[in-house]
Amino acid sequence: MKRLLLVIVLALAGCSSGGTETVEITTTVQVTTTLEAAAPTVATTTTAPKPAGNDPDDVDGQLDIRNLNATRTGDLLAVSLKTYEPWSSNVLVGPGPNRAGPNRLTIFYDIDLDGFPDYRGKIIYSGGALSLYITGEGSAFEPIPVERPTNVRAQFVHPVDIFFAPSGGSGEVDMQIRARSLYNGVEDKAPDAGKWLGVPFNP
């Protein structure tokens, strides 16, 4: 509310002289000002897309894959796989090194992005240790240790130059991977439906 000072000037006719007399009247008027509030801003909520390596809880058994993640840094590839249910390493026991048993966990590598696996790594429990055995293109490589930071996760790191050395090609390219599990005859894949998880090259 504001106060406004008004000055009103009246011209009054003189009674005796026949002239005109000017009278100044000062008054204060209260003025009310209404401010219109700005319309509230409505926040827009968006749902973040699921990571590419996620897989639904869609099969029974301990090896139902929850997600598959991979990061390429220079010549090294770090892979992490998580399941919905806990499992012990000896679930993947095999009759010997590089020989899988009835329950299986396999990583597929597509190094030329043609949609077909060029190499595969089998995670096998043998000799009291969990290891990744990579084969493909007529080659077999030394086993790579697989770590178990939790009872639902397996992870490992290995160089990728082994994939490109036979052809003499450059390893500074993108690639893609996927995973497949088999538990008591029930198969699961990540990403879902046999898709691939892209792994871009990072120097």
Side-chain angles (χ1 to χ4, degrees), residues 89-90 92-99 123-131 133:
S89 296
N90 59 14
L92 296 174
V93 65
N98 201 18
R99 298 174 61 193
I123 300 178
I124 300 173
Y125 184 79
S126 178
L130 193 65
S131 304
Y133 295 85

Side-chain angles (χ1 to χ4, degrees), residues 127-147:
L130 193 65
S131 304
L132 177 75
Y133 295 85
I134 299 178
T135 58
E137 302 293 323
S139 300
F141 305 100
E142 292 294 321
I144 297 161
V146 176
E147 299 178 349

